[in-house]
Amino acid sequence: MLLLAQAWGHRFLTDDAFISFRYAENLVAGEGLVFNAGERVEGYSNFLWVLLLAGLRLLGVAPEAGSQALSLALTLALWAGVAWFAHRRQHDVWSVLPLLLLALTRSIAVWSTGGLETRLFEVLTLGAVLLLLVELEEGGSPLRVPRAVWAGLLFGLASLTRPDAPLIAGATLGTAFWIAWRRRQRRPRSPRRVVAGGLVFVAITAAHFAFRRLYYGEWLPNTYYAKIGGETWWAMGWKYLAAFLLEYAVWLWLPFLVAAVAWHRRRGTPEVPALFAAAVVPHALYVVSIGGDHFEYRPFDLYFPFAFLLIADGARELAHRLRHRGRAGRGWLTAGLTAVLAGLTLLPWQSHRQFPDERYLHGFPGLWAHLDPAARNYLDPDRALVYRLPGLRSLASLHRDLLHTLSSGFVGLRAEEHARFLTTVVPEGLALRQLVETGELDPDTRIAIDAVGAIPYFSRLPVLDRLGLTDREVARSTPRRQEFLAHDKRATLEYARRRGTDLWAVHQVHLLWNVEELELHELLAANAGPRLYYSGTSQGLLLVRLPQGVHDTRIQLPGLELRPLDAAARAALADEAIARLQSAPADDSRTRHQLARLLDLRGRSREALAAFQQLLSVDPADPGALRAAARLAARAGDPTAAARLYERLIELGWGDANVYNNLGNVRVLEGRPEAAISLYRQALSLDPSRVESRLNLASVLRRAGRPQEATEQVRAVLRVAPNHPDANLRLAEDHLAQGRPLAALGYFAD
């Protein structure tokens, strides 16, 4: 009951699962295993899971509901498998321990739902490893079908479920064969049985590769090329592993794991830790090599059952060794297990409890650490009594820093974030479907977006996946600079035109907007160029680019009144949004903040400054209002007020590189160059790659009569950005000032 209660409390669906749902729906509809009708691209990596969802769909169960029910049932199967193995070897109180640990683990609860194949993969893999162990223990059992063969079958099914299964299967079967070969004198049948199991696994895996080659024309799934393509990201992967080890306090498991090895050596069963290690260690290194995973610890979730079974064995060994110490020994053992339970639950529980309610913030907390109080305070050690203790505070702070780095690269994003994101895309998918039903969109309208889960699933429109998961050519394109996991390949507008795409979302995800949404107007401000079009539809404002050109698109989509988004249209939309927000009840800070920001974007600086000052009268520590008010005060020619506001930001702990840079600009306006130099240097200490701060520092140094230092700063800019026009111009001016016109000529040419 505890296990199911935890699972139900953490239930969610991720947008990525809807990719598999769409494949299952298309298969049942007779279109085949395709994302878009007529396009054979393997944009999923969970063949068996898709087939199971399709089977449920034939029974009338929608994939979004069937996946949840199936995952919960498989969670019970996982728990039962651990219970069977734990009780099979030893009937004592310690055999209950792994079941309790499973029931208390957040990761087990999280991946009891989600819509992905995670739990199916774990049940199959765990079952295969445990059957192999039984085979090694009972090698002479005259069964009609040896357990090693059943293990090979489960490994084969696991390879149909996830593409990393062959690594685990190969390492585990290889280790099992080595152990069986060493024991061949006592159990001569064991090596042959392990080989038979391996052949079953190879046959199933080979059949799947053959099917993929025949059906899709590729040996590997398209997702491999889109996400990995032979690239490694070890630095991020080690951080992903370190965050996992800290979050679940794995360092507290070590005494029990070491004791478990000793217990198995004493019993003559060293194959148990050996096979568990074979299943875990190579796979963990693979996960680290590719930079981790987009989801929180999903590939590591498999390791918990193995670890918990060993912890129970370690507890047995420690109880045996401490028995002569009586009550003191039992006390030490109880304290150790209590610490394991506390470490397993405290940080994961805090991560759930402290996650912001309702709001969706992408890349939380890392991308918002200097912008939003909830992100900055997330998992602050001071918010949990136990993590204020010396030593534990350092570990909690390190874990928090790792989460900031990971989430900034879209690695290890929490289940709560995925759940919040889904609430933003399901309504859009349904709204697009409604536009088709009202005739405003043609059913064959092809759209281009980044998030190809719920929006394509509910809209049923053909979709160009701009990140390439379901598109062969994009998946094989040249990656950009590695910044976000599995987000470094991108379709171009020209490619979209060749593919017959009608509507290209200006935003990464959304095409439809409410006119008063602040993000819409920020998007328009960031895309100030021409060739944006909009249409007022029954479901909101449609904002797109038109790869086929406006003339052809109007012919293709006569139900849309597409208009160019020129300066007048942008101004009209902003004024309409401002009017709506001004007429709405302004009883919450979010509405007031939207209004103030829109006034700022519209260029109504005086009204915007007054609106931000009103926000600060209610909440003097509002970082967004402080930043905006400081910037507007500087623009209005009031450096004293601007400096006071920037200093307040620094005092409150919001002093990032941008704040120090802007305060340096204010000090320049005040005629305080030395103070400005110090502030620019502080900005560069926080972000050494910040070109703006380095050029500002060079300007002030030059005016302060320190030309050599100024030149060093400009050269540092050119090392980062060799073709930066301002840096080249400034070096050219320096050479002219020093009477070297020929040297200056080269920089003017650049």
Side-chain angles (χ1 to χ4, degrees), residues 15 37 97 128 186 248 276 302 358 448 505 639 644 685 700 717 719:
D15 185 63
L97 181 59
R186 287 180 291 153
Y248 289 97
F276 286 1
L302 169 68
E358 298 179 358
R644 186 168 60 249
S685 71
V700 178
V717 171
R719 284 194 292 272

Side-chain angles (χ1 to χ4, degrees), residues 5 31 45 63 171 194 197 214 261 316 350 360 385 399-400 406 422 527 537 551 606 626 646 649 667-668 716:
E31 300 288 352
S45 54
V194 173
L214 291 171
V261 174
R316 288 189 183 97
Q350 290 294 328
Y360 167 63
L385 181 62
H399 170 259
R400 181 185 179 205
L406 292 170
L422 194 67
N527 291 271
T537 74
H551 176 73
R606 183 174 299 178
L626 283 168
Y646 282 127
L649 278 166
R667 295 305 185 206
V668 170

Side-chain angles (χ1 to χ4, degrees), residues 85 156 243 363 420 487 557 729:
F85 192 76
R420 307 286 192 277
H487 286 66
L557 304 174
L729 180 61

Side-chain angles (χ1 to χ4, degrees), residues 14 112 146 158 309 363 513 563 574 609 622:
T14 176
S112 295
L309 285 167
W513 301 87
R563 290 174 283 181
L609 180 57
D622 183 337

Side-chain angles (χ1 to χ4, degrees), residues 204-410:
I204 295 172
T205 305
H208 186 214
F209 273 85
F211 164 78
R212 179 185 291 125
R213 179 67 177 176
L214 291 171
Y215 194 79
Y216 294 111
E218 301 288 347
W219 290 111
L220 297 173
N222 194 67
T223 52
Y224 165 79
Y225 299 99
K227 293 182 177 181
I228 303 171
E231 299 292 324
T232 59
W233 199 2
W234 286 93
M236 185 64 81
W238 286 119
K239 292 180 176 67
Y240 185 68
L241 176 61
F244 168 76
L245 297 177
L246 287 172
E247 182 158 334
Y248 289 97
V250 175
W251 50 279
L252 291 172
W253 306 358
L254 294 179
F256 294 93
L257 297 178
V258 171
V261 174
W263 188 74
H264 282 289
R265 288 186 64 184
R266 187 163 58 84
R267 291 182 72 245
T269 55
E271 65 271 10
V272 174
L275 256 66
F276 286 1
V280 169
V281 176
H283 184 256
L285 288 174
Y286 162 74
V287 173
V288 169
S289 73
I290 62 174
D293 190 67
H294 182 55
F295 300 96
E296 58 161 303
Y297 316 132
R298 183 172 66 122
F300 296 155
D301 192 64
L302 169 68
Y303 309 161
F304 286 109
F306 298 126
F308 293 162
L309 285 167
L310 288 178
I311 287 173
D313 293 337
R316 288 189 183 97
E317 177 67 13
L318 291 173
H320 172 74
R321 292 184 179 230
L322 295 172
R323 68 187 186 283
H324 64 281
R325 297 194 179 184
R327 182 177 299 177
R330 290 193 297 273
W332 280 109
L333 183 55
T334 302
L337 288 172
T338 302
V340 168
L341 288 169
L344 187 70
T345 55
L346 285 178
L347 259 182
W349 168 244
Q350 290 294 328
S351 75
H352 177 70
R353 187 181 69 83
Q354 295 183 28
F355 206 92
D357 292 333
E358 298 179 358
R359 286 187 302 157
Y360 167 63
L361 298 173
H362 65 282
F364 182 90
L367 293 180
W368 297 86
H370 294 293
L371 300 171
D372 188 274
R376 188 182 73 167
N377 297 328
Y378 185 65
L379 295 182
D380 187 330
D382 287 332
R383 297 182 68 181
L385 181 62
V386 67
Y387 288 108
R388 298 177 196 169
L389 300 174
L392 291 181
R393 172 185 288 274
S394 299
L395 291 176
S397 297
L398 175 59
H399 170 259
R400 181 185 179 205
D401 292 342
L402 288 169
L403 285 191
H404 282 191
T405 302
L406 292 170
S407 53
S408 295
F410 282 16

Side-chain angles (χ1 to χ4, degrees), residues 88-125:
R88 177 185 171 276
R89 295 175 302 135
Q90 199 85 14
H91 292 282
D92 59 16
V93 67
W94 302 115
S95 60
V96 180
L97 181 59
L99 306 180
L100 175 63
L101 294 173
L102 279 176
L104 291 173
T105 303
R106 167 189 162 93
S107 188
I108 295 294
V110 162
W111 296 113
S112 295
T113 56
L116 295 170
E117 74 292 339
T118 309
R119 192 49 37 85
L120 174 62
F121 172 70
E122 293 171 359
V123 168
L124 293 170
T125 304

